[in-house]
Amino acid sequence: MAESRGSGSEPGRLLQLDRLIPKLWESSSPSVTAALRIAVKVVNRQKRRLAVVGGVVRDLLLQKSVFDVDVMSESPTRSLAREVAEELHAELVEHDRFLTFTIHLEGGLKLDVVTARQESYGAPGQLPVVAPAPIEMDLKRRDFTVNSIAVFLDSSNEGRLLDPFGGIDDLRSRKIRALHDQSFVDDPTRIFRAARFAGRFSFDVDPKTQKQIEGSIGKGYPRLLSPARRRHEFELVLREVDPGPALRLLESWGVLAVIHQDWALRPEHLEALRRVDRKDLEGRLACWFRPWGPAAAQKMMTELGFERATKKAVHDALAGK
Ligand code: CTP
Protein backbone atom coordinates (compact mmCIF):
# COMPACT_ATOMS: atom_id res chain seq x y z
CA MET A 1 0.00 0.00 0.00
CA ALA A 2 1.30 3.41 -0.89
CA GLU A 3 0.33 6.39 1.14
CA SER A 4 1.00 9.74 -0.45
CA ARG A 5 0.47 13.35 0.33
CA GLY A 6 0.68 16.27 -2.03
CA SER A 7 4.05 17.96 -2.23
CA GLY A 8 2.97 20.86 -4.39
CA SER A 9 4.71 19.57 -7.53
CA GLU A 10 3.90 21.28 -10.81
CA PRO A 11 0.85 19.74 -12.51
CA GLY A 12 1.74 17.46 -15.40
CA ARG A 13 5.51 17.47 -14.70
CA LEU A 14 6.55 13.88 -14.06
CA LEU A 15 9.78 12.58 -12.60
CA GLN A 16 12.25 11.54 -15.31
CA LEU A 17 11.97 7.80 -15.78
CA ASP A 18 15.68 7.15 -15.18
CA ARG A 19 15.30 8.87 -11.79
CA LEU A 20 12.64 6.43 -10.57
CA ILE A 21 14.86 3.90 -8.81
CA PRO A 22 17.33 6.48 -7.38
CA LYS A 23 14.35 8.48 -6.12
CA LEU A 24 12.84 5.39 -4.48
CA TRP A 25 16.06 4.79 -2.53
CA GLU A 26 16.57 8.49 -1.71
CA SER A 27 13.06 9.24 -0.56
CA SER A 28 12.09 6.08 1.34
CA SER A 29 12.35 6.08 5.11
CA PRO A 30 15.33 4.19 6.59
CA SER A 31 13.12 1.29 7.74
CA VAL A 32 11.61 0.87 4.24
CA THR A 33 15.04 1.17 2.60
CA ALA A 34 16.44 -1.51 4.92
CA ALA A 35 13.55 -3.86 4.10
CA LEU A 36 13.90 -3.24 0.36
CA ARG A 37 17.65 -3.91 0.48
CA ILE A 38 17.07 -7.28 2.12
CA ALA A 39 14.32 -8.16 -0.36
CA VAL A 40 16.63 -7.30 -3.29
CA LYS A 41 19.46 -9.33 -1.74
CA VAL A 42 17.19 -12.38 -1.37
CA VAL A 43 15.78 -12.27 -4.92
CA ASN A 44 19.26 -11.71 -6.40
CA ARG A 45 20.54 -14.76 -4.52
CA GLN A 46 17.56 -16.80 -5.73
CA LYS A 47 17.80 -15.35 -9.26
CA ARG A 48 14.20 -14.20 -9.12
CA ARG A 49 12.44 -11.03 -10.24
CA LEU A 50 11.23 -8.27 -7.91
CA ALA A 51 9.37 -5.13 -8.94
CA VAL A 52 8.01 -2.12 -7.16
CA VAL A 53 4.44 -1.58 -8.26
CA GLY A 54 1.16 0.30 -7.94
CA GLY A 55 0.68 3.43 -5.88
CA VAL A 56 4.35 3.86 -5.03
CA VAL A 57 5.40 4.05 -8.70
CA ARG A 58 2.51 6.41 -9.44
CA ASP A 59 3.43 8.66 -6.53
CA LEU A 60 7.16 8.69 -7.33
CA LEU A 61 6.37 9.69 -10.92
CA LEU A 62 4.02 12.42 -9.66
CA GLN A 63 6.84 13.62 -7.39
CA LYS A 64 4.79 13.04 -4.25
CA SER A 65 6.16 11.74 -0.97
CA VAL A 66 6.17 7.98 -0.62
CA PHE A 67 5.56 6.20 2.67
CA ASP A 68 4.52 2.55 2.41
CA VAL A 69 5.83 0.44 -0.49
CA ASP A 70 4.44 -2.55 -2.43
CA VAL A 71 6.88 -4.96 -4.04
CA MET A 72 5.84 -7.83 -6.26
CA SER A 73 7.55 -11.11 -6.98
CA GLU A 74 6.43 -14.37 -8.50
CA SER A 75 5.22 -17.28 -6.36
CA PRO A 76 6.39 -18.49 -3.88
CA THR A 77 6.88 -15.25 -1.96
CA ARG A 78 6.19 -16.38 1.62
CA SER A 79 9.84 -17.33 2.23
CA LEU A 80 10.99 -13.98 0.80
CA ALA A 81 8.68 -12.04 3.14
CA ARG A 82 9.69 -14.22 6.11
CA GLU A 83 13.40 -13.70 5.46
CA VAL A 84 12.98 -9.91 5.29
CA ALA A 85 10.85 -9.84 8.45
CA GLU A 86 13.20 -12.15 10.37
CA GLU A 87 16.32 -10.19 9.49
CA LEU A 88 14.64 -6.99 10.69
CA HIS A 89 12.90 -8.62 13.68
CA ALA A 90 9.73 -7.11 12.22
CA GLU A 91 6.16 -8.37 12.55
CA LEU A 92 4.86 -10.24 9.51
CA VAL A 93 1.15 -10.54 8.75
CA GLU A 94 0.27 -13.14 6.13
CA HIS A 95 -2.87 -12.55 4.05
CA ASP A 96 -2.97 -16.03 2.53
CA ARG A 97 -6.20 -15.49 0.59
CA PHE A 98 -4.58 -12.72 -1.46
CA LEU A 99 -1.03 -14.14 -1.43
CA THR A 100 0.14 -10.89 0.18
CA PHE A 101 2.53 -10.49 3.12
CA THR A 102 2.73 -7.31 5.16
CA ILE A 103 5.93 -6.50 7.02
CA HIS A 104 5.32 -3.94 9.75
CA LEU A 105 8.32 -1.62 10.02
CA GLU A 106 9.48 1.04 12.44
CA GLY A 107 7.58 4.31 12.44
CA GLY A 108 4.26 2.65 11.57
CA LEU A 109 5.43 1.99 7.99
CA LYS A 110 4.86 -1.15 5.93
CA LEU A 111 6.39 -3.15 3.14
CA ASP A 112 3.82 -5.27 1.33
CA VAL A 113 5.26 -8.27 -0.48
CA VAL A 114 2.66 -9.10 -3.11
CA THR A 115 2.61 -12.35 -5.08
CA ALA A 116 2.06 -11.66 -8.77
CA ARG A 117 -1.40 -13.09 -9.44
CA GLN A 118 -4.42 -13.29 -11.63
CA GLU A 119 -7.92 -12.86 -10.28
CA SER A 120 -11.30 -14.26 -11.22
CA TYR A 121 -14.61 -12.92 -9.95
CA GLY A 122 -17.47 -15.35 -9.28
CA ALA A 123 -20.10 -12.62 -9.18
CA PRO A 124 -20.12 -8.80 -9.16
CA GLY A 125 -19.19 -7.37 -5.77
CA GLN A 126 -17.68 -10.59 -4.43
CA LEU A 127 -14.04 -10.90 -3.48
CA PRO A 128 -11.94 -12.49 -6.23
CA VAL A 129 -10.36 -15.92 -6.29
CA VAL A 130 -6.64 -15.49 -6.89
CA ALA A 131 -3.96 -17.69 -8.46
CA PRO A 132 -0.22 -17.10 -8.92
CA ALA A 133 0.77 -15.62 -12.30
CA PRO A 134 3.72 -13.89 -13.96
CA ILE A 135 4.34 -10.22 -13.11
CA GLU A 136 3.26 -9.14 -16.61
CA MET A 137 -0.13 -10.80 -16.11
CA ASP A 138 -0.61 -9.29 -12.65
CA LEU A 139 -0.63 -5.82 -14.14
CA LYS A 140 -3.75 -6.76 -16.13
CA ARG A 141 -5.85 -7.48 -13.01
CA ARG A 142 -5.46 -3.98 -11.61
CA ASP A 143 -7.83 -1.04 -11.44
CA PHE A 144 -6.43 1.94 -13.35
CA THR A 145 -3.65 2.51 -15.87
CA VAL A 146 -1.81 4.83 -13.46
CA ASN A 147 -1.74 2.01 -10.86
CA SER A 148 -0.55 -0.62 -13.35
CA ILE A 149 3.06 0.45 -13.75
CA ALA A 150 5.94 -1.64 -12.37
CA VAL A 151 9.70 -1.12 -12.21
CA PHE A 152 12.10 -3.98 -11.57
CA LEU A 153 14.52 -3.89 -8.64
CA ASP A 154 16.39 -7.20 -9.03
CA SER A 155 19.92 -6.92 -10.41
CA SER A 156 19.17 -8.65 -13.75
CA ASN A 157 16.30 -6.31 -14.62
CA GLU A 158 16.99 -3.23 -12.49
CA GLY A 159 15.26 -0.11 -13.76
CA ARG A 160 13.25 -1.90 -16.46
CA LEU A 161 9.76 -0.46 -16.63
CA LEU A 162 6.47 -2.22 -17.40
CA ASP A 163 3.67 0.11 -18.44
CA PRO A 164 1.38 -2.03 -20.61
CA PHE A 165 -1.64 0.26 -20.52
CA GLY A 166 -0.08 3.70 -21.02
CA GLY A 167 -0.20 4.68 -17.36
CA ILE A 168 2.64 7.17 -17.76
CA ASP A 169 0.81 8.96 -20.57
CA ASP A 170 -2.30 9.07 -18.37
CA LEU A 171 -0.29 10.51 -15.48
CA ARG A 172 0.93 13.21 -17.88
CA SER A 173 -2.56 13.96 -19.15
CA ARG A 174 -3.98 13.63 -15.60
CA LYS A 175 -6.50 10.94 -16.34
CA ILE A 176 -8.08 8.08 -14.38
CA ARG A 177 -8.70 5.29 -16.86
CA ALA A 178 -9.83 1.73 -16.14
CA LEU A 179 -8.11 -1.17 -17.86
CA HIS A 180 -11.19 -2.90 -19.26
CA ASP A 181 -14.99 -2.80 -19.55
CA GLN A 182 -15.64 -5.27 -16.71
CA SER A 183 -13.57 -3.44 -14.10
CA PHE A 184 -16.45 -1.83 -12.15
CA VAL A 185 -18.66 -4.90 -12.57
CA ASP A 186 -16.05 -7.26 -11.12
CA ASP A 187 -15.12 -4.84 -8.37
CA PRO A 188 -17.50 -1.95 -7.67
CA THR A 189 -15.17 -0.69 -4.91
CA ARG A 190 -13.17 0.73 -7.83
CA ILE A 191 -15.89 3.37 -8.22
CA PHE A 192 -14.84 4.74 -4.83
CA ARG A 193 -11.20 4.40 -5.81
CA ALA A 194 -11.77 6.33 -9.05
CA ALA A 195 -13.35 9.15 -7.03
CA ARG A 196 -10.49 9.11 -4.50
CA PHE A 197 -7.68 9.24 -7.03
CA ALA A 198 -9.43 11.77 -9.28
CA GLY A 199 -10.15 13.91 -6.21
CA ARG A 200 -6.70 13.53 -4.66
CA PHE A 201 -4.71 14.38 -7.78
CA SER A 202 -7.26 16.68 -9.48
CA PHE A 203 -7.36 14.23 -12.39
CA ASP A 204 -10.27 13.80 -14.80
CA VAL A 205 -12.11 10.53 -15.09
CA ASP A 206 -11.70 9.37 -18.71
CA PRO A 207 -15.09 9.58 -20.55
CA LYS A 208 -15.15 5.85 -21.38
CA THR A 209 -14.31 5.02 -17.76
CA GLN A 210 -17.07 7.42 -16.67
CA LYS A 211 -19.54 5.44 -18.84
CA GLN A 212 -18.30 2.16 -17.33
CA ILE A 213 -18.85 3.59 -13.85
CA GLU A 214 -22.35 4.76 -14.77
CA GLY A 215 -23.07 1.33 -16.26
CA SER A 216 -22.05 -0.45 -13.06
CA ILE A 217 -24.09 1.95 -10.91
CA GLY A 218 -27.08 1.71 -13.29
CA LYS A 219 -27.07 -2.08 -12.93
CA GLY A 220 -26.93 -1.75 -9.12
CA TYR A 221 -23.55 -3.47 -8.67
CA PRO A 222 -22.27 -1.19 -5.86
CA ARG A 223 -25.33 -2.27 -3.84
CA LEU A 224 -24.00 -5.83 -3.93
CA LEU A 225 -21.00 -4.85 -1.82
CA SER A 226 -21.34 -5.94 1.79
CA PRO A 227 -22.01 -3.15 4.33
CA ALA A 228 -18.49 -3.73 5.70
CA ARG A 229 -16.90 -3.14 2.30
CA ARG A 230 -19.04 -0.03 1.64
CA ARG A 231 -18.08 1.31 5.07
CA HIS A 232 -14.40 0.58 4.46
CA GLU A 233 -14.40 2.40 1.11
CA PHE A 234 -16.16 5.37 2.69
CA GLU A 235 -13.58 5.48 5.48
CA LEU A 236 -10.82 5.53 2.88
CA VAL A 237 -12.51 8.55 1.30
CA LEU A 238 -12.66 10.27 4.70
CA ARG A 239 -8.93 9.61 5.18
CA GLU A 240 -8.00 11.67 2.12
CA VAL A 241 -6.24 14.95 2.93
CA ASP A 242 -9.25 16.77 1.47
CA PRO A 243 -12.13 14.32 1.01
CA GLY A 244 -14.29 17.05 -0.59
CA PRO A 245 -13.55 16.45 -4.29
CA ALA A 246 -14.06 12.66 -3.98
CA LEU A 247 -17.29 13.15 -2.01
CA ARG A 248 -18.58 15.56 -4.68
CA LEU A 249 -17.87 13.01 -7.40
CA LEU A 250 -19.52 10.19 -5.46
CA GLU A 251 -22.55 12.38 -4.79
CA SER A 252 -22.79 13.33 -8.49
CA TRP A 253 -22.70 9.62 -9.42
CA GLY A 254 -25.41 8.81 -6.83
CA VAL A 255 -23.07 6.52 -4.90
CA LEU A 256 -23.35 8.09 -1.44
CA ALA A 257 -26.99 7.00 -1.35
CA VAL A 258 -25.77 3.49 -2.16
CA ILE A 259 -23.67 3.40 1.00
CA HIS A 260 -26.76 4.39 2.95
CA GLN A 261 -30.11 5.36 1.50
CA ASP A 262 -30.38 8.49 3.70
CA TRP A 263 -26.98 9.90 2.76
CA ALA A 264 -26.47 13.09 0.78
CA LEU A 265 -23.58 15.53 0.69
CA ARG A 266 -24.24 18.93 2.28
CA PRO A 267 -22.12 22.11 2.13
CA GLU A 268 -21.57 21.94 5.90
CA HIS A 269 -19.92 18.53 5.47
CA LEU A 270 -17.17 19.99 3.32
CA GLU A 271 -16.44 22.89 5.66
CA ALA A 272 -16.43 20.69 8.76
CA LEU A 273 -14.27 17.93 7.23
CA ARG A 274 -11.59 20.39 6.18
CA ARG A 275 -11.16 21.46 9.80
CA VAL A 276 -10.39 17.94 11.09
CA ASP A 277 -7.06 16.19 10.42
CA ARG A 278 -7.15 13.15 8.09
CA LYS A 279 -5.64 10.95 10.83
CA ASP A 280 -8.63 11.63 13.12
CA LEU A 281 -11.09 9.23 11.48
CA GLU A 282 -13.58 9.39 14.36
CA GLY A 283 -13.52 13.19 14.19
CA ARG A 284 -14.20 13.06 10.48
CA LEU A 285 -17.01 10.52 10.96
CA ALA A 286 -18.53 12.88 13.52
CA CYS A 287 -18.41 15.68 10.90
CA TRP A 288 -20.14 13.40 8.42
CA PHE A 289 -22.94 12.27 10.78
CA ARG A 290 -23.51 15.62 12.55
CA PRO A 291 -26.31 16.87 10.22
CA TRP A 292 -28.46 13.84 11.11
CA GLY A 293 -28.03 14.13 14.88
CA PRO A 294 -26.86 11.54 17.43
CA ALA A 295 -29.83 9.12 17.35
CA ALA A 296 -30.06 8.80 13.55
CA ALA A 297 -26.26 8.61 13.37
CA GLN A 298 -26.19 5.63 15.75
CA LYS A 299 -28.87 3.85 13.73
CA MET A 300 -26.97 4.35 10.46
CA MET A 301 -23.68 3.31 12.03
CA THR A 302 -25.28 0.11 13.32
CA GLU A 303 -26.73 -0.64 9.88
CA LEU A 304 -23.28 -0.21 8.35
CA GLY A 305 -21.61 -2.37 11.00
CA PHE A 306 -19.35 0.22 12.61
CA GLU A 307 -17.49 -1.00 15.68
CA ARG A 308 -18.91 -0.24 19.11
CA ALA A 309 -15.96 1.99 20.08
CA THR A 310 -16.29 4.06 16.88
CA LYS A 311 -20.04 4.43 17.42
CA LYS A 312 -19.46 5.59 20.99
CA ALA A 313 -16.78 8.11 19.96
CA VAL A 314 -19.06 9.57 17.28
CA HIS A 315 -22.03 9.59 19.66
CA ASP A 316 -20.04 11.42 22.33
CA ALA A 317 -18.78 13.96 19.80
CA LEU A 318 -22.30 14.62 18.51
CA ALA A 319 -23.79 14.80 22.00
CA GLY A 320 -21.10 17.34 22.95
CA LYS A 321 -19.54 15.06 25.61
N1 CTP B 1 -5.82 -2.52 -6.66
C1 CTP B 1 -6.75 -2.83 -7.64
N2 CTP B 1 -8.08 -2.89 -7.34
C2 CTP B 1 -8.51 -2.67 -6.08
C3 CTP B 1 -7.57 -2.38 -5.06
C4 CTP B 1 -6.23 -2.31 -5.39
O1 CTP B 1 -6.36 -3.00 -8.79
N3 CTP B 1 -9.82 -2.75 -5.79
C5 CTP B 1 -4.38 -2.48 -7.02
C6 CTP B 1 -3.91 -1.16 -7.60
O2 CTP B 1 -2.94 -1.45 -8.59
C7 CTP B 1 -3.27 -0.45 -6.43
C8 CTP B 1 -2.67 -1.63 -5.65
O3 CTP B 1 -3.57 -2.71 -5.86
O4 CTP B 1 -2.29 0.49 -6.84
C9 CTP B 1 -2.51 -1.41 -4.16
O5 CTP B 1 -3.77 -1.08 -3.58
P1 CTP B 1 -3.90 0.12 -2.58
O6 CTP B 1 -2.82 0.04 -1.59
O7 CTP B 1 -5.30 0.20 -2.08
O8 CTP B 1 -3.71 1.31 -3.60
P2 CTP B 1 -2.73 2.50 -3.71
O9 CTP B 1 -2.68 2.77 -5.18
O10 CTP B 1 -1.43 2.26 -3.04
O11 CTP B 1 -3.60 3.61 -3.01
P3 CTP B 1 -3.31 4.64 -1.83
O12 CTP B 1 -2.36 5.63 -2.42
O13 CTP B 1 -4.66 5.22 -1.53
O14 CTP B 1 -2.76 3.85 -0.68
Side-chain angles (χ1 to χ4, degrees):
M1 231 178 273
E3 191 188 345
S4 69
R5 272 154 232 154
S7 63
S9 63
E10 212 178 298
R13 277 282 297 276
L14 298 191
L15 183 73
Q16 283 182 359
L17 297 184
D18 60 0
R19 290 281 304 136
L20 246 172
I21 300 285
K23 191 77 187 169
L24 173 71
W25 291 113
E26 281 162 25
S27 56
S28 298
S29 303
S31 61
V32 173
T33 308
L36 282 174
R37 277 197 204 295
I38 300 167
V40 170
K41 180 185 76 182
V42 174
V43 293
N44 285 345
R45 191 184 69 223
Q46 297 176 343
K47 301 206 183 327
R48 296 171 53 183
R49 303 196 296 173
L50 183 77
V52 62
V53 67
V56 64
V57 181
R58 177 199 68 215
D59 292 345
L60 284 169
L61 287 168
L62 286 172
Q63 316 212 49
K64 309 270 180 199
S65 309
V66 165
F67 296 89
D68 301 330
V69 170
D70 284 10
V71 287
M72 176 163 61
S73 190
E74 278 129 345
S75 177
T77 51
R78 180 179 277 109
S79 57
L80 165 63
R82 284 189 180 165
E83 196 166 331
V84 176
E86 270 165 28
E87 202 165 323
L88 291 170
H89 305 289
E91 187 201 353
L92 175 69
V93 177
E94 305 191 2
H95 310 281
D96 287 319
R97 181 172 182 172
F98 296 107
L99 308 175
T100 296
F101 305 92
T102 303
I103 302 164
H104 290 272
L105 304 167
E106 272 170 29
L109 296 168
K110 287 182 299 177
L111 179 76
D112 270 331
V113 178
V114 179
T115 312
R117 64 193 199 227
Q118 52 190 337
E119 295 181 341
S120 52
Y121 290 84
Q126 282 185 4
L127 289 169
V129 175
V130 311
I135 285 174
E136 286 77 2
M137 196 171 280
D138 180 287
L139 294 180
K140 298 184 186 168
R141 59 113 186 144
R142 291 176 179 260
D143 51 3
F144 305 116
T145 60
V146 296
N147 289 341
S148 303
I149 310 170
V151 189
F152 286 101
L153 291 176
D154 59 277
S155 59
S156 306
N157 298 284
E158 193 184 338
R160 188 156 72 83
L161 193 89
L162 295 176
D163 178 21
F165 299 99
I168 294 176
D169 282 348
D170 285 345
L171 283 173
R172 261 192 209 105
S173 52
R174 310 175 69 73
K175 203 185 288 171
I176 297 299
R177 190 158 59 91
L179 303 192
H180 57 82
D181 283 348
Q182 280 293 103
S183 192
F184 303 101
V185 176
D186 288 342
D187 182 356
T189 66
R190 290 177 174 165
I191 296 170
F192 295 87
R193 295 174 63 82
R196 276 201 293 124
F197 295 129
R200 186 191 304 171
F201 301 125
S202 303
F203 281 14
D204 290 326
V205 177
D206 170 71
K208 190 168 167 203
T209 300
Q210 175 76 37
K211 286 225 154 43
Q212 293 161 349
I213 290 174
E214 286 163 9
S216 170
I217 296 168
K219 291 216 159 74
Y221 293 134
R223 287 183 195 282
L224 301 178
L225 293 168
S226 65
R229 292 186 75 197
R230 281 182 263 154
R231 185 188 70 228
H232 178 66
E233 292 303 321
F234 182 68
E235 288 179 351
L236 291 177
V237 172
L238 288 192
R239 286 181 197 272
E240 291 292 320
V241 174
D242 177 7
L247 287 171
R248 275 197 218 98
L249 272 175
L250 291 169
E251 172 76 0
S252 72
W253 296 339
V255 174
L256 290 179
V258 171
I259 308 177
H260 191 284
Q261 72 270 12
D262 295 340
W263 282 15
L265 181 65
R266 306 183 189 194
E268 62 259 41
H269 278 134
L270 300 176
E271 285 158 35
L273 285 165
R274 265 195 291 272
R275 286 198 293 269
V276 176
D277 189 87
R278 66 192 288 273
K279 291 193 189 119
D280 180 6
L281 180 64
E282 287 169 354
R284 286 202 161 176
L285 283 167
C287 294
W288 178 255
F289 284 110
R290 182 157 283 119
W292 289 280
Q298 288 299 292
K299 186 167 171 285
M300 291 179 199
M301 291 185 86
T302 304
E303 285 160 0
L304 288 169
F306 279 92
E307 281 181 14
R308 188 190 295 248
T310 312
K311 281 166 55 180
K312 182 170 181 330
V314 170
H315 180 268
D316 289 353
L318 297 189
K321 285 187 191 166

